[in-house]
Amino acid sequence: MVVICIVTHKVSKGDGQGRVNYEVACEALRQGYKLTIISSQLDEQLQHDPNIEWIKIKVDGFPGDLFRNLKFSWSSSKWLKNHHHEVDLIKTNGAITDFGSDVNAVHFVHSAWLIYSRNLSQKLRGWFDFQFLYQRLYTQLNSYWEKKAFLQAKRIVAVSHQVQQELLDIGVPKGKIVVILNGVDLQEFCPGVVDRDEWGLPKNKVIALFAGDIKSSRKNLESVLYALQQIPSLNIAVLGSTNGSPYPKLASELGIAERTHFLGFRKDISKIMKAVDFFVFPSRYEACSLVILEALASGLPVITAKSAGGSEIVTPGCGIVLHNPDDIKGLTDANEIGTNDSLRSNMRQSARIVAEQYSWSIMAKSYLNLIKEMTKE
């Protein structure tokens, strides 16, 4: 029996990259493979599967992502050096381990983000000084480690066409790359209507939704708030932890605090998507945004930017894609979608149709087809 080794931080439903690995693992089990999973977290249901050997790597107690990642890389590499002959194929994510891989699925290209963040640091200096210094170091180190990992891998999975181009830009041969977009749960994320009272959102008002990390500038909530200031009739619900975030203060300074509803970190995002009218996400960098797919599956028109990987599936029929995420006027004009009920209704139907082409099942089977091809070589 073929044994696949998956090396990743998390294999779980509640995490973007972790969900991809969870779906690939489940599909591999359905197709009769055995799995060795090297991770810090593993979905509880999978922990009891007799066809899975879990090599748990503990990183608790290490300060910051950088040191946790270094600990994970060292421990996973040590295990693979001693046991790689026990598995038939190794699947990794980025620079997660120093040991080579057969398939490396790329969910983020740090060298691409580094280019943009260099320009951004001057523009936003004063808000994120310490964070920029830490993130710059973290990103530079990961850029070096990733390129080494990508060149070592036999095949690379790019999670969007944007990522494919970024890999080509750093010298990864085109023949090594296959594009497999991330998926979405079409049952969990689906059109519907719920009562807004649960979150204290105003009734009879058009509400946009923003979701993501609001502690850093990468997701670009500040541009959304500046645009919101120009549209007095529009409200926005913001999902993301406000601890250490500058954006509640910015909303107050812009005079839009009453129309900006910070809901904190939420696990009921699929339900909240049924309570709003459209989704706005002009991220400055994404490899392939799961939340864009989730919004489309929920029947929400999407406003995003070309810098957000996965935006290539947002057609004019279901949303608006800006060329520049920092174009405040363009974002303001796009948000006028909130005043056109007929346009939003048509876009809702188109959004769901687009999302139905990207189920988790379709994505996972694409990974397994690649694995089958490689294990037969």
Side-chain angles (χ1 to χ4, degrees):
M1 184 179 291
V2 174
V3 180
I4 301 170
C5 179
I6 297 176
V7 187
T8 188
H9 291 295
K10 300 177 183 178
V11 180
S12 63
K13 291 183 179 180
D15 177 80
Q17 185 172 287
R19 180 64 185 266
V20 172
N21 284 293
Y22 171 85
E23 296 293 340
V24 171
C26 290
E27 182 62 29
L29 292 171
R30 279 193 289 270
Q31 295 193 22
Y33 290 89
K34 280 199 163 187
L35 297 176
T36 296
I37 296 179
I38 303 175
S39 67
S40 296
Q41 295 182 30
L42 179 63
D43 184 86
E44 187 175 355
Q45 180 181 349
L46 295 181
Q47 291 180 28
H48 306 293
D49 194 295
N51 289 314
I52 291 180
E53 179 187 13
W54 181 25
I55 311 301
K56 184 176 182 180
I57 296 183
K58 297 180 180 180
V59 296
D60 295 340
F62 286 81
D65 288 341
L66 177 59
F67 292 102
R68 285 192 289 269
N69 291 352
L70 286 170
K71 171 61 167 62
F72 189 98
S73 177
W74 181 83
S75 297
S76 60
S77 297
K78 181 180 178 181
W79 190 93
L80 286 166
K81 287 174 184 176
N82 293 326
H83 300 276
H84 66 91
H85 59 279
E86 300 172 10
V87 303
D88 298 287
L89 180 139
I90 300 171
K91 176 190 175 296
T92 62
N93 293 120
I96 197 164
T97 184
D98 198 41
F99 197 88
S101 64
D102 297 291
V103 177
N104 192 317
V106 183
H107 292 255
F108 195 98
V109 181
H110 282 83
S111 57
W113 169 238
L114 183 62
I115 292 171
Y116 192 93
S117 66
R118 282 172 178 162
N119 299 325
L120 186 66
S121 62
Q122 294 300 321
K123 180 179 178 181
L124 298 178
R125 188 168 297 281
W127 277 16
F128 307 104
D129 283 342
F130 174 76
Q131 195 161 9
F132 266 124
L133 290 173
Y134 173 77
Q135 288 296 331
R136 178 69 60 81
L137 173 62
Y138 181 81
T139 302
Q140 287 178 327
L141 289 172
N142 272 282
S143 297
Y144 171 77
W145 294 327
E146 280 179 349
K147 185 172 183 178
K148 178 182 176 183
F150 298 156
L151 294 176
Q152 285 180 334
K154 294 178 182 178
R155 297 296 296 275
I156 301 287
V157 174
V159 297
S160 69
H161 291 284
Q162 172 180 296
V163 169
Q164 180 186 39
Q165 184 57 54
E166 291 164 355
L167 291 169
L168 293 173
D169 290 344
I170 61 173
V172 177
K174 187 173 183 178
K176 290 176 64 170
I177 305 172
V178 59
V179 178
I180 302 176
L181 268 69
N182 291 333
V184 63
D185 189 324
L186 294 171
Q187 283 69 51
E188 180 182 4
F189 292 90
C190 59
V193 178
V194 298
D195 195 323
R196 291 175 171 178
D197 287 346
E198 183 172 343
W199 305 281
L201 297 174
K203 295 182 178 180
N204 304 317
K205 297 286 186 180
V206 176
I207 301 179
L209 176 67
F210 178 96
D213 177 10
I214 60 172
K215 297 177 185 177
S216 72
S217 62
R218 182 165 67 87
K219 305 292 185 179
N220 196 19
L221 179 57
E222 63 265 22
S223 291
V224 176
L225 295 181
Y226 280 113
L228 182 67
Q229 187 185 35
Q230 307 303 315
I231 313 173
S233 61
L234 184 62
N235 282 247
I236 189 166
V238 178
L239 305 186
S241 174
T242 57
N243 291 334
S245 171
Y247 297 114
K249 180 181 178 183
L250 178 61
S252 295
E253 292 172 348
L254 295 175
I256 57 173
E258 291 185 359
R259 295 188 288 122
T260 306
H261 310 278
F262 289 96
L263 303 183
F265 175 79
R266 307 288 307 198
K267 292 186 178 181
D268 55 351
I269 184 172
S270 62
K271 192 175 178 181
I272 294 173
M273 283 186 171
K274 294 180 175 65
V276 300
D277 297 287
F278 65 97
F279 183 66
V280 57
F281 189 68
S283 177
R284 293 181 168 116
Y285 180 75
E286 299 291 323
C288 184
S289 174
L290 288 178
V291 75
I292 288 177
L293 270 170
E294 291 166 352
L296 292 172
S298 300
L300 293 180
V302 169
I303 298 171
T304 186
K306 288 184 69 176
S307 48
S311 63
E312 62 253 44
I313 70 172
V314 179
T315 67
C318 65
I320 298 171
V321 180
L322 302 172
H323 288 282
N324 179 2
D326 296 314
D327 179 5
I328 305 298
K329 183 180 185 305
L331 187 57
T332 302
D333 293 343
N335 274 295
E336 291 291 349
I337 191 176
T339 65
N340 192 326
D341 295 343
S342 177
L343 178 61
R344 287 202 314 277
S345 178
N346 292 334
M347 282 186 166
R348 279 182 171 276
Q349 298 177 39
S350 298
R352 177 66 184 187
I353 291 171
V354 168
E356 287 173 349
Q357 304 172 53
Y358 298 97
S359 69
W360 283 123
S361 177
I362 291 172
M363 181 216 70
K365 287 176 181 176
S366 296
Y367 273 93
L368 267 295
N369 288 339
L370 175 61
I371 289 170
K372 284 180 184 177
E373 173 191 321
M374 294 188 68
T375 53
K376 288 179 181 178
E377 292 177 354

